[in-house]
Amino acid sequence: MARPAHRLTMAALALAVSGTTMALATAPVQAESSTSATALRHPASSAAPKPAAAGGHRKAAPGPGGEAPVRRRLVGAWTTSTDRVPAALGGQTVRMVVRASIGGSGMRLRLSNLFGAAPVTFANVHVGVQAYGAEILTGTNRPVTFRGRASVKVAPGQAVWSDPIPGRVAGGSAVVVSLHLPGTVNGVTGHERAYSTTYLSDPGDHAAEESGEGFTYTSTQWYFLDRLAVEAGAATVGSVVAFGDSITDGAGQAVDANRRWTDYLRQRLAREASSRRLGVLNAGISGNRLLRPNVGPSGVTRFYRDALSQPGVRTVVVYEGINDIARGEYTSIKPIVYGYKRLIREAHARKVKVLGATLTPFYGWSTWTPEREEVRQRLNAWIRTSKAFDGVLDFDRAVRDPEFPEQLALSYDSGDHLHLSDAGRRALADAVNLRLL
């Protein structure tokens, strides 16, 4: 059985449940398809902000005393990139734990059936704050509605945003999302390697229960849930998306450790002034390639969906390509450079900054060859010198062995010579120049 999640500190719990009197107007929510060109679509009369990459603000109605309205916008607080996962669920409740990278009020969640073959009905959805394991902190479990209804049916190839959830969530909170599935689902949209414990119940609807007693099974996948967003104040800059493969996904860490390099980056940003605060969104898929589908769609085909359509996105870090080199037969960097340039054009067309991260060493990995190493070195030289990206994060230099730069430094190697240790993932986060974000 997977290790239970860590208990929050009492200070964090207090922050997470503060501000419960702040109820926001409920905004109509429409389903979106996997090929939609708009991340969120609301009628013009809706109180919800526009989801453009620039992260447009909206003005709240003036207070009873005529005070100036507060400008707020929707900003991504958590995400995961989805694919079809090998699972069959139904007649039970799924309880997942995710960590909000920034705080705010009016939290929304998105449920996805993008890879499903049939409609999926979510009969009851609740959101709370984790106490321990599947147990929810008393008084925090709240019902979630979709256009004012407790139940929502999501067609195949579609995703749906919830109404705003009253109250405020604190940055760093362990948010618990419970979904009751009355019918059997065989084509499950989810994330294979969550590195987080998901709790599965005995038959029945246990979504509203704060006790974890009804949840007797566990997995390490996320199901259907792929985004959380909050209404953040004008001081919040927006969100940064980490777009990558298994090293970004978190390979090498223990379950429930929350030691992805993006988790360490979130911790760094949490210490910044509020005017420099950013949501951190992890769009990594283990095994993913930039140019070809392998695990999940290729990077070039999923880039809009997983990165550019995120609410409030400001910057994308592209740290992908090592699987193309390690598993491909490229003798030239031109195909991968073409893929990078395509991502850059798409981002710039939507006024989103894109940073390029150099590819880290993999000498000692089973598919390493001198020819593939030469491709990696030439590609890193291009990332550093071409000025095609808006900035460069030199992850290679941060974790390589200075005496033998073809391999990871020993303390940064998880043991397989490709994926990073906890110290290595922290080194990546520490190598990020926050001013570039």
Side-chain angles (χ1 to χ4, degrees):
M1 182 173 292
R3 187 166 60 116
H6 298 293
R7 184 182 297 273
L8 295 176
T9 65
M10 292 307 296
L13 292 173
L15 284 171
V17 297
S18 64
T20 55
T21 58
M22 185 176 183
L24 301 177
T26 298
V29 179
Q30 296 183 351
E32 63 174 282
S33 70
S34 58
T35 57
S36 170
T38 307
L40 299 172
R41 290 184 178 177
H42 298 275
S45 60
S46 169
K50 294 181 179 180
H57 295 277
R58 76 172 178 88
K59 292 183 178 181
E67 64 271 16
V70 177
R71 287 162 60 88
R72 310 192 71 81
R73 61 176 177 170
L74 200 64
V75 175
W78 174 86
T79 196
T80 193
S81 295
T82 56
D83 193 7
R84 185 165 179 163
V85 298
L89 303 168
Q92 63 191 140
T93 304
V94 176
R95 177 162 288 180
M96 296 165 287
V97 183
V98 301
R99 194 165 295 273
S101 62
I102 55 169
S105 56
M107 181 173 69
R108 296 163 169 84
L109 59 83
R110 194 176 85 156
L111 301 178
S112 173
N113 191 24
L114 291 182
F115 295 92
V120 176
T121 296
F122 303 96
N124 190 9
V125 180
H126 275 66
V127 172
V129 178
Q130 185 186 36
Y132 192 81
E135 183 180 344
I136 295 175
L137 185 70
T138 302
T140 67
N141 205 24
R142 301 170 188 168
V144 179
T145 60
F146 301 83
R147 291 187 175 184
R149 296 181 179 180
S151 177
V152 64
K153 178 184 287 188
V154 185
Q158 301 286 313
V160 64
W161 283 91
S162 74
D163 301 329
I165 302 164
R168 182 176 181 85
V169 63
S173 296
V175 178
V176 180
V177 178
S178 303
L179 313 173
H180 174 52
L181 300 165
T184 300
V185 184
N186 290 309
V188 175
T189 295
H191 189 83
E192 174 68 26
R193 299 186 182 181
Y195 301 101
S196 175
T197 302
T198 288
Y199 303 90
L200 306 171
S201 79
D202 293 325
D205 183 357
H206 301 271
E209 298 172 8
E210 293 180 333
S211 167
E213 292 182 1
F215 295 85
T216 55
Y217 308 96
T218 63
S219 83
T220 53
Q221 299 170 323
W222 284 315
Y223 308 113
F224 306 109
L225 177 71
D226 71 347
R227 295 185 185 182
L228 294 181
V230 298
E231 289 196 350
T236 300
V237 178
S239 59
V240 55
V241 179
F243 188 81
D245 46 45
S246 58
I247 302 176
T248 295
D249 206 4
Q253 69 170 331
V255 174
D256 297 322
N258 293 303
R259 293 174 185 166
R260 307 164 188 85
W261 74 262
T262 52
D263 292 314
Y264 290 122
L265 179 61
R266 177 194 66 78
Q267 293 168 15
R268 285 189 66 197
L269 287 167
R271 297 190 289 269
E272 293 289 299
S274 59
S275 61
R276 296 174 59 85
R277 206 66 57 80
L278 282 161
V280 180
L281 306 178
N282 189 312
I285 299 179
S286 294
N288 198 232
R289 295 192 197 185
L290 180 69
L291 300 179
R292 295 184 179 182
N294 182 46
V295 180
S298 69
V300 293
T301 58
R302 72 182 183 93
F303 187 62
Y304 174 79
R305 185 198 76 194
D306 289 350
L308 299 183
S309 71
Q310 296 286 349
V313 60
R314 170 187 174 93
T315 304
V316 180
V317 175
V318 174
Y319 178 36
E320 184 160 52
I322 198 65
N323 287 325
D324 298 74
I325 296 172
R327 300 181 182 184
E329 298 299 332
Y330 297 104
T331 58
S332 167
I333 68 171
K334 288 183 180 179
I336 301 174
V337 166
Y338 167 80
Y340 285 158
K341 288 182 175 179
R342 178 173 166 178
L343 303 190
I344 293 166
R345 286 195 302 270
E346 290 185 23
H348 287 174
R350 293 166 177 82
K351 303 186 186 304
V352 175
K353 182 187 298 186
V354 58
L355 307 179
T358 53
L359 302 180
T360 45
F362 71 111
Y363 176 84
W365 179 255
S366 60
T367 62
W368 185 94
T369 65
E371 294 76 18
R372 286 170 171 156
E373 177 62 22
E374 183 182 357
V375 173
R376 185 185 74 90
Q377 295 284 1
R378 282 191 279 137
L379 189 60
N380 279 349
W382 182 87
I383 292 170
R384 293 184 181 108
T385 63
S386 67
K387 297 185 179 178
F389 290 100
D390 297 304
V392 174
L393 306 180
D394 205 337
F395 285 174
D396 170 47
R397 185 167 296 163
V399 298
R400 70 191 183 193
D401 185 338
E403 301 296 326
F404 185 32
E406 292 85 354
Q407 72 180 9
L408 294 168
L410 180 61
S411 62
Y412 296 152
D413 190 340
S414 68
D416 65 12
H417 313 303
L418 170 65
H419 300 106
L420 301 174
S421 65
D422 288 347
R425 291 188 297 276
R426 184 186 292 273
L428 295 189
D430 290 343
V432 175
N433 182 344
L434 299 184
R435 292 190 296 274
L436 293 177
L437 301 180

